[in-house]
Amino acid sequence: GDAESILAAMDKCAETSWMMNMGREKGELVEAAFGDRRRVLEVGTFLGYSTIRIARSMRADARLTTIEKDDLTYEAATRIIDKA
């Protein structure tokens, strides 16, 4: 997958439609904050924007666990994350 193009598309969509993604500036802060972690627990994912940001910043041997209670949100996020 191509995380950068997925994130860019989500950012572009957020310019004209309501989306709960954090955007490029905050995303870069998140990547810097989690990049050295070995394990991260994310509570809630919406469409996977922060999940992609966190995952791509982590070491190869790190583990990211995301919990999402809404089945439809989980399914949508999973499809987007799989493309990244």
Side-chain angles (χ1 to χ4, degrees):
D2 182 8
E4 189 60 37
S5 67
I6 297 295
L7 293 169
M10 293 175 84
D11 286 335
K12 184 71 173 167
C13 185
E15 292 175 8
T16 58
S17 303
W18 181 86
M19 287 186 66
M20 221 176 353
N21 64 312
M22 67 184 66
R24 178 167 299 280
E25 295 81 18
K26 290 179 188 170
E28 290 170 358
L29 293 173
V30 166
E31 287 186 27
F34 290 102
D36 63 342
R37 304 290 190 251
R38 296 202 56 168
R39 294 185 297 176
V40 174
L41 173 62
E42 179 185 33
V43 179
T45 189
F46 187 51
L47 295 176
Y49 188 92
S50 60
T51 307
I52 295 167
R53 287 268 185 191
I54 294 167
R56 77 178 192 166
S57 72
M58 296 175 75
R59 302 175 351 188
D61 64 340
R63 180 180 180 102
L64 169 60
T65 302
T66 300
I67 299 170
E68 175 55 58
K69 70 176 186 170
D70 183 79
D71 290 339
L72 291 176
T73 299
Y74 171 80
E75 290 171 15
T78 299
R79 286 193 304 273
I80 293 170
I81 292 165
D82 286 347
K83 291 183 185 303

